[in-house]
Amino acid sequence: MRTGYKVALYGAALAVVFGGTWAAGAAAGPPPPPTGGHSADQQHGGHESAPSAVPPGLSSSANGYALRLREGSSLSFDVAGPDGRPVTRFAVEHEKRLHLVVVRRDGSHFRHVHPEMAADGTWSVPLTLPDAGSYRVFADFRPEDGPKTTLGADVERAGDYRPERHETSRTFTVDGYEVTLDGELTAGKASTVGLAISRNGAPVTDLQNYLGAKGHLVALRAADLAYLHVHPEEGDGVRFAVEVPTAGRYRLFLDFRHEDVVRTAEFTLTTTDAHGEDGHGH
């Protein structure tokens, strides 16, 4: 397995140096994709990625495929192929044919779920959006005989929207588990981050595999919700090699499984430069 997973070339035209909070960055929304751009094909387990002007998840169409959301009591959608018809044949990656990530645009209410596909290519999953706001839906998949692709689109929940602010955080507690992140994200350079999990003061050393790995990490860039999904390096512990090419703030979400329950820990990091300073020059 490769020790680095890279979002291929976020591109100088899309490079952003963050100066505000997560909520302020997210509110700006994604930039429009350039004409003829293609979504980046991430590397994982030997899957090669192609350079791209548009990071994964910023567009609802890429590589000839389009994400088409449908309104209803549950979240449903299909993926249109180059011929305009719904795709019905997907490669299995990490034990699933499609991974769906949903997060509010302020970086709150993260969900990583796995919808079911009907024979006609319609995917659906029960999903309740907990609070008002705009939510980004990411569909992460590889069609059979097609490139790995991540598409994104927004869904809305009406109501009194109250954005949450996310300060830098390296420790998260969920259901009595304390999860601590070490390491730094350095713009333009492969970085290793590790996760330590404890319960009642004792290290948890018997994590169960979840979707074929000891953990799954999703990183979202604050300014535009550019998407990166990586899996652990081989060896002891839960460690990830991550390369983020632009400076700024990122939200990181770790899924882990213990005692047959999947839980999610979340963190907020600001990149450092080669001299160890944060992305704002501090």
Side-chain angles (χ1 to χ4, degrees):
M1 180 180 296
R2 290 181 57 91
T3 59
Y5 303 95
K6 179 178 180 181
V7 174
L9 295 181
Y10 275 26
L14 295 174
V16 178
V17 176
F18 305 101
T21 65
W22 167 269
T35 303
H38 297 286
S39 175
D41 178 17
Q42 302 165 9
Q43 295 179 351
H44 173 67
H47 298 155
E48 293 303 321
S49 63
S52 169
V54 180
L58 291 189
S59 176
S60 62
S61 60
N63 299 332
Y65 298 89
L67 176 62
R68 304 187 296 198
L69 298 180
R70 303 176 184 175
E71 296 184 6
S73 57
S74 64
L75 180 62
S76 63
F77 61 93
D78 66 23
V79 176
D83 60 2
R85 295 182 294 183
V87 177
T88 59
R89 299 175 64 87
F90 294 82
V92 174
E93 293 198 315
H94 320 305
E95 301 182 358
K96 298 292 182 179
R97 292 183 294 171
L98 185 143
H99 298 262
L100 196 76
V101 166
V102 181
V103 65
R104 198 167 68 173
R105 278 199 167 270
D106 64 353
S108 304
H109 306 309
F110 173 90
R111 306 285 180 83
H112 177 185
V113 296
H114 300 100
E116 297 292 330
M117 189 187 74
D120 66 355
T122 299
W123 296 86
S124 61
V125 61
L127 186 68
T128 300
L129 301 178
D131 292 314
S134 178
Y135 289 76
R136 191 66 172 172
V137 177
F138 300 95
D140 185 346
F141 60 90
R142 183 188 292 274
E144 287 190 358
D145 302 321
K148 182 169 175 60
T149 300
T150 302
L151 303 178
D154 285 353
V155 294
E156 311 288 336
R157 179 177 174 183
D160 181 15
Y161 171 53
R162 299 185 179 183
E164 295 184 22
R165 300 172 69 91
H166 302 284
E167 302 298 334
T168 297
S169 60
R170 292 177 170 273
T171 301
F172 190 83
T173 300
V174 53
D175 295 341
Y177 292 81
E178 185 176 86
V179 187
T180 302
L181 181 149
D182 66 67
E184 304 289 346
L185 298 180
T186 303
K189 178 181 177 182
S191 307
T192 298
V193 298
L195 284 302
I197 302 172
S198 63
R199 185 172 60 170
N200 299 323
V204 175
T205 59
D206 58 342
L207 290 178
Q208 297 167 289
N209 277 354
Y210 174 57
L211 303 175
K214 295 299 183 184
H216 296 74
L217 187 70
V218 169
L220 298 174
R221 188 170 61 180
D224 54 10
L225 299 189
Y227 172 97
L228 173 61
H229 184 187
V230 298
H231 293 253
E233 296 178 325
E234 294 178 344
D236 296 333
V238 182
R239 306 191 69 80
F240 300 83
V242 184
E243 185 170 347
V244 292
T246 61
R249 183 166 292 189
Y250 290 80
R251 288 279 282 162
L252 288 79
F253 302 90
L254 171 74
D255 290 332
F256 66 97
R257 184 182 184 207
H258 189 247
E259 295 183 349
D260 298 322
V261 177
V262 177
R263 299 171 173 87
T264 302
E266 56 186 69
F267 313 92
T268 305
L269 290 185
T270 299
T271 56
T272 62
D273 61 22
H275 302 291
E277 297 179 338
D278 68 26
H280 305 304
H282 301 150

